[in-house]
Amino acid sequence: MTPATPVAGRDRLRIAIQKSGRLAEPARALLASCGLSWRESRDRLFCYGESLPIDLLLVRDDDIPGLIAEGVCDLGIVGRNVLCEQDLSGKVNGSGARFRELQPLGFGGCRLAVAVPDSWTWRDASQLAGKRIATSYPQLLSKWLAEQGIEAQVVLLSGSVEIAPRLGQADAICDLVSSGATLAANQLKPVLTLFESEAVLAGPAAELEDVRGELMELLLRRLDGALRIRRSKLLMFQAPRELLPTLLPLLPDAEAPTVMLIDGEERLALQALCHGALTWQRLEELKRAGARGLMVLPVEGLLA
Ligand code: PRP
Ligand code: ZN
């Protein structure tokens, strides 16, 4: 590969995101929550930044690391799986890493898993020896097989990996699993997880020097705030006053809870900013411990 030539005189930041697919909408929503807005081109491949000189390029996710490496785009939102796969193949063919993960983004969670036909009785990984495994992630799979000391044949497919066993092209597959619906629909079951993934912000290996470096810093700061707000929720409930010592340990992620005494000081009303996930399970636990009128509210803004 030829060395990247910096695009001279570009004074706008360009971010590559997936045009359609799992990460497309959440990526745009996250950037919009950082105060970015755009005017979309008629061919829907380019979004011109209106609120800030930050434009979007809508592309195939697999193209994003390459676009960053070549300097066509300055940043990208892509699955860690794609980034790591292409990083490994860059190492193998000697072109080296010219992009890196800057920030995990907390959405698009999935895992790279080996899946086998439902009819297999699964015991352990040694059953993969001598088998053909279809995947779009040959580097990650080969690395894992080598680490496990398993000799298997890697069958490279660029898409529709899940139908390979039925077509007789492979015995097993190694693919991304999110909800698991694709595997189930193809009579496959996941048996091993190789790699946990989520959407990440990717950028060039080297710092951006010009005005784009400043724009990138601004965006990273806003992203940090936007991600923090997303994780934060306001939790409110009431409970008998004497239950406070039982309830507080259930809120380890709460920031300085506000407790007010109500009903002639018999009961308490508590409100707390929680930074961890307030799952149904946690709410049920609080209810069992005596909390009533539980309410979880989104946070629109945070200023310490
Ligand atoms: C992955 C994978 C499966 C699907 C699994 O594709 O290749 O097709 O998601 O999701 P499920 O477990 O919820 O059914 P991805 O969205 O990454 O698209 P791409 O490979 O076409 O880029
Ligand atoms: Zn893809």
Side-chain angles (χ1 to χ4, degrees):
M1 258 195 243
T2 49
T5 33
V7 182
R10 194 140 61 74
D11 55 2
R12 302 177 65 86
L13 197 70
R14 197 178 287 160
I15 309 177
I17 65 167
Q18 198 183 25
K19 181 172 162 57
S20 59
R22 276 182 314 125
L23 307 183
E25 267 318 305
R28 273 176 91 146
L30 178 63
L31 293 172
S33 74
C34 293
L36 305 192
S37 62
W38 310 273
R39 204 172 56 233
E40 194 159 331
S41 72
R42 218 173 274 165
D43 56 11
R44 311 196 64 233
L45 297 174
F46 189 76
C47 298
Y48 184 83
E50 289 189 314
S51 53
L52 279 170
I54 302 182
D55 306 324
L56 298 185
L57 201 63
L58 309 184
V59 298
R60 264 169 45 98
D61 61 346
D62 313 64
D63 293 337
I64 292 176
L67 290 169
I68 296 172
E70 287 157 23
V72 176
C73 290
D74 308 304
L75 294 171
I77 292 181
V78 64
R80 181 180 293 131
N81 49 295
V82 171
L83 209 60
C84 286
E85 175 68 25
Q86 297 199 18
D87 185 37
L88 285 173
S89 72
K91 283 180 183 136
V92 169
N93 70 28
S95 62
R98 290 186 285 138
F99 46 80
R100 65 194 164 115
E101 176 176 331
L102 298 175
Q103 164 93 55
L105 298 176
F107 66 88
C110 59
R111 59 202 171 99
L112 185 65
V114 169
V116 301
D118 281 336
S119 56
W120 280 33
T121 308
W122 182 254
R123 288 182 311 275
D124 58 53
S126 67
Q127 283 168 270
L128 295 172
K131 297 285 195 267
R132 297 163 303 159
I133 311 173
T135 191
S136 310
Y137 297 90
Q139 300 295 339
L140 285 166
L141 174 59
S142 302
K143 179 167 172 269
W144 181 83
L145 288 169
E147 281 163 7
Q148 305 294 312
I150 297 169
E151 279 192 35
Q153 191 191 329
V154 176
V155 179
L156 176 61
L157 294 179
S158 59
S160 305
V161 170
E162 60 277 1
I163 60 169
R166 259 189 299 152
L167 297 179
Q169 292 171 297
D171 306 298
I173 69 165
C174 170
D175 199 10
L176 287 188
V177 183
S178 171
S179 64
T182 304
L183 291 186
N186 289 281
Q187 292 93 51
L188 298 167
K189 57 182 176 190
V191 289
L192 294 162
T193 296
L194 276 55
F195 187 84
E196 299 278 353
S197 182
E198 67 179 291
V200 303
L201 183 73
E207 302 284 326
L208 292 172
E209 297 283 327
D210 50 19
V211 63
R212 288 175 296 158
E214 286 162 35
L215 282 169
M216 183 163 135
E217 251 173 60
L218 172 87
L219 182 67
L220 279 168
R221 267 201 311 276
R222 289 196 184 180
L223 263 177
D224 189 54
L227 291 171
R228 216 141 22 98
I229 285 183
R230 276 189 175 196
R231 285 193 301 265
S232 306
K233 295 272 186 291
L234 186 66
L235 171 69
M236 298 169 79
F237 61 76
Q238 298 187 1
R241 175 184 185 165
E242 66 276 12
L243 291 181
L244 189 62
T246 333
L247 289 163
L248 279 183
L250 299 177
L251 304 171
D253 58 334
E255 205 176 294
T258 308
V259 181
M260 291 159 284
L261 292 176
I262 53 170
D263 282 353
E265 310 214 330
E266 288 287 297
R267 296 173 61 75
L268 62 87
L270 180 145
Q271 74 179 48
L273 188 64
C274 290
H275 298 293
L278 284 166
T279 56
W280 281 109
Q281 203 183 344
R282 276 190 76 186
L283 297 181
E284 285 154 4
E285 206 179 332
L286 284 161
K287 186 164 181 190
R288 277 196 297 276
R292 292 293 178 269
L294 285 145
M295 217 184 323
V296 179
L297 294 100
V299 176
E300 290 285 329
L302 271 182
L303 203 58

